Amino acid sequence: MTRREALIALLCAVCLAALPGCSDDARTVGGENGPVSHNERALVLSVDEESQTAEVRILERPDDLTLTWGTHPAGAEGTADFSEWGSSGLPEVGDDVILKWIGTPAEKSSFPILVSSWEPTVDFYESLDDAHEVSLPASMLRFFSQTAEELVADFAETPELALEARADGEDLVLTFTGKQLADYRTDVEQSLADYVSSLQDAEDVSAVEVTDDHASVTITASPALLDKPLLVGQAFMAVPGMCATLQALDGTEDWHVEIVVIDAEKNVEVARVALPDESVTLTAESWAEAVAE
């Protein structure tokens, strides 16, 4: 899966929530305080390529970093298991590395560490020189039909997207390098453009307009749009979902997206919804009533 495909799986899955037969991802990691992506600095003592494991010794870590670190004390030795998520390659004996794994904040984890990703310690520290924190609030996640715990687990599967993903209550807090944040924004903007283009190509949609501040979406369409679940998901969930995400990346604390629906034939407004305070409840009957007024 490419990085862009991973992003779409994480935040564009909102479109699928509008379709029948969708179910929650069973591969989630729970906990009273939500799961956390841990970082563990370790020295590689030996490597077993057949089992995709390595014996490691936990090393000291700096105290001035705000990222969440693991629960293993310096000097502890044990097995780091690289097999669960797959790996582009094992570290070598003598490497000083950062191992990443997921668990609950209070977990007193014992070996083996189930590694989701790793990188040389020097590369990891250099990436922290330009770190940015982004919060996706609970109201946004509820609109996505996802939880902070689910997304933390998803980010653990695609660790190249962010330095860290953690649950802060019901909110999701992401820490990016400058490059990761720029790449993330580019991917969300491209996803938004793709959804808008797809809608505009549909015969039941005449126009889709998104304001520069991503706070308003105007859709001009025929009522036949409501009979197309995929288009409904794109129009009322995916497009505003991408707009909300871009607002979060801009540092907006209280996201808001207004959805305006215009009847293509009569050129009259049939719905105006302010997210997240209101929900989309447009039906064929309410559409016909609005046009008849």
Side-chain angles (χ1 to χ4, degrees):
M1 177 180 289
T2 66
R3 184 170 56 80
R4 183 159 183 268
E5 288 171 338
L7 171 70
I8 292 174
L10 294 182
L11 293 181
C12 296
V14 296
C15 176
L16 299 180
L19 303 180
C22 294
S23 60
D24 293 335
D25 184 358
R27 293 182 61 185
T28 58
V29 181
E32 182 179 354
N33 299 312
V36 171
S37 297
H38 292 288
N39 303 286
E40 206 82 67
R41 184 184 175 197
L43 175 67
V44 179
L45 304 177
S46 65
V47 174
D48 187 333
E49 294 185 1
E50 182 176 355
S51 63
Q52 290 273 288
T53 61
E55 294 302 308
V56 300
R57 178 185 299 127
I58 302 302
L59 298 176
E60 292 285 350
R61 55 184 180 266
D63 296 326
D64 58 346
L65 296 180
T66 59
L67 293 180
T68 303
W69 292 87
T71 59
H72 297 287
E77 295 185 3
T79 301
D81 185 342
F82 294 83
S83 62
E84 177 71 12
W85 304 104
S87 174
S88 59
L90 291 169
E92 297 181 356
V93 174
D95 281 353
D96 184 337
V97 298
I98 299 293
L99 308 177
K100 298 183 180 181
W101 57 280
I102 190 169
T104 57
E107 183 178 3
K108 300 299 182 183
S109 179
S110 60
F111 286 100
I113 299 173
L114 192 59
V115 179
S116 60
S117 69
W118 69 274
E119 62 184 304
T121 296
V122 63
D123 293 346
F124 180 79
Y125 288 170
E126 287 177 353
S127 70
L128 299 181
D129 292 339
D130 185 28
H132 304 268
E133 192 170 271
V134 174
S135 178
L136 303 186
S139 60
M140 186 184 300
L141 302 188
R142 284 193 291 271
F143 180 73
F144 291 158
S145 298
Q146 294 179 306
T147 66
E149 289 85 356
E150 290 171 335
L151 285 173
V152 167
D154 286 340
F155 269 96
E157 293 188 63
T158 52
E160 70 274 14
L161 288 177
L163 280 173
E164 181 189 50
R166 62 182 173 84
D168 182 7
E170 295 184 346
D171 298 341
L172 174 70
V173 179
L174 303 172
T175 303
F176 298 100
T177 65
K179 184 179 185 305
Q180 285 174 330
L181 182 58
D183 288 344
Y184 201 99
R185 166 176 283 283
T186 297
D187 286 341
V188 177
E189 289 175 339
Q190 185 59 57
S191 296
L192 174 59
D194 289 346
Y195 278 123
V196 170
S197 177
S198 177
L199 280 170
Q200 290 175 332
D201 290 342
E203 62 179 356
D204 299 318
V205 179
S206 300
V208 179
E209 299 176 13
V210 179
T211 57
D212 291 340
D213 61 1
H214 303 108
S216 179
V217 178
T218 300
I219 301 167
T220 303
S222 70
L225 168 71
L226 301 180
D227 297 327
K228 311 291 178 55
L230 180 59
L231 294 182
V232 169
Q234 291 176 344
F236 300 127
M237 299 188 74
V239 168
M242 295 300 98
C243 289
T245 302
L246 287 169
Q247 289 183 37
L249 296 182
D250 285 336
T252 302
E253 295 183 1
D254 297 318
W255 71 281
H256 58 284
V257 178
E258 184 176 65
I259 304 175
V260 181
V261 182
I262 306 294
D263 180 83
E265 181 179 352
K266 301 292 186 179
N267 195 32
V268 298
E269 182 178 305
V270 297
R272 182 180 293 268
V273 178
L275 302 173
D277 297 330
E278 301 173 348
S279 60
V280 180
T281 56
L282 185 61
T283 64
E285 290 75 15
S286 64
W287 191 307
E289 291 176 1
V291 171
E293 290 180 357

